[in-house]
Amino acid sequence: MSRANTRIALKEWAVTVEALGEGKQIIVMRKGGIAEETRHFEVRSDRFFLYPAYEHQKEELLKPEYRGEIAKTLQSWSPEQETATIKYFAELHEDIEVMDEEALFRLAPCHIWTNDFAHERLKWKKKLPLHLLLLRVYRLDQPTRIPIRPEYSGCKSWHEVPQELADCSGEPVMKEADFLAEVNKIKALLAGQK
């Protein structure tokens, strides 16, 4: 059992949050939101909650077998909602900077997105590297609803969440051996090994 002990949340597509929470992938690709203060992505904490974002998810950027997953995330969501449910937090295992599109494409078996998604993330602000975050994800013992504050809207990666979330505990969604095997697989694919 691990404790979150943080007030930081990473905002990510709801469909990706669920894929992480179900152990379907351990990676997130980031270059920063359009409204980032620093104009590029920076890791603000090595422990953070996963805050689901619903507005900009795109079916066409998911592999065909995952395209129905966005509709599932939208079943209990509306733009008028006043609260968000936080179900997971993550520990950053490693932040790998990637500039090589071919290396990124080799990671296709390790996530739910299409190569177009990876390409779009890499080419945006093309002089900056794409951050590939390897995350150890935990399912909170008790999902927590928090009020949606005005500052949570917009394309920003990081948010500060209410104090009531700070001391939540949870169980890892993957066994440690399975997680480390996936880390090794990702690193081997990035290096061009089979």
Side-chain angles (χ1 to χ4, degrees):
M1 180 180 294
S2 184
R3 298 187 77 75
N5 295 324
T6 183
R7 291 189 62 193
I8 302 294
L10 176 68
K11 188 175 183 180
E12 184 57 72
W13 284 4
V15 69
T16 303
V17 170
E18 288 304 317
L20 292 163
E22 294 169 9
K24 292 178 181 172
Q25 69 184 52
I26 66 166
I27 60 176
V28 172
M29 298 178 191
R30 300 305 291 235
K31 270 214 182 165
I34 293 169
E36 301 293 354
E37 296 90 349
T38 61
R39 303 281 185 231
H40 64 277
F41 181 78
E42 293 178 350
V43 174
R44 283 194 49 200
S45 175
D46 61 358
R47 296 168 65 83
F48 44 85
F49 292 98
L50 297 172
Y51 184 96
Y54 299 88
E55 296 91 340
H56 303 296
Q57 302 182 98
K58 295 181 181 175
E59 289 275 337
E60 67 272 15
L61 295 180
L62 296 179
K63 292 174 186 166
E65 63 268 32
Y66 297 107
R67 290 193 178 150
E69 300 299 311
I70 288 179
K72 289 180 188 175
T73 70
L74 296 174
Q75 286 175 348
S76 59
W77 178 82
S78 78
E80 293 79 34
Q81 262 184 229
E82 296 181 356
T83 61
T85 301
I86 306 296
K87 300 192 287 186
Y88 308 103
F89 73 93
E91 293 176 343
L92 177 63
H93 179 78
E94 192 168 350
D95 177 4
I96 301 171
E97 294 185 357
V98 178
M99 296 287 287
D100 178 8
E101 187 171 65
E102 289 304 314
L104 196 57
F105 286 176
R106 289 194 295 269
L107 294 180
C110 302
H111 56 73
I112 65 173
W113 308 299
T114 63
N115 278 344
D116 286 344
F117 175 93
H119 174 75
E120 280 189 20
R121 291 281 167 116
L122 187 62
K123 78 173 184 178
W124 188 62
K125 297 182 181 180
K126 58 185 168 186
K127 292 184 180 178
L128 296 174
L130 181 69
H131 290 260
L132 186 66
L133 306 182
L134 306 187
L135 306 180
R136 184 87 197 268
V137 177
Y138 296 80
R139 181 177 293 105
L140 295 177
D141 292 336
Q142 187 65 48
T144 304
R145 294 185 76 76
I146 62 169
I148 297 175
R149 298 175 174 171
E151 60 266 28
Y152 295 169
S153 64
C155 296
K156 288 177 67 178
S157 298
W158 300 103
H159 297 288
E160 191 166 304
V161 292
Q163 183 64 40
E164 55 264 27
L165 266 175
D167 295 317
C168 294
S169 59
E171 296 292 333
V173 299
M174 295 176 75
K175 294 178 182 173
E176 185 170 13
D178 295 337
F179 173 76
L180 293 175
E182 190 67 10
V183 168
N184 291 334
K185 175 182 173 182
I186 288 167
K187 289 186 171 186
L189 289 169
L190 285 171
Q193 301 167 3
K194 295 190 178 188

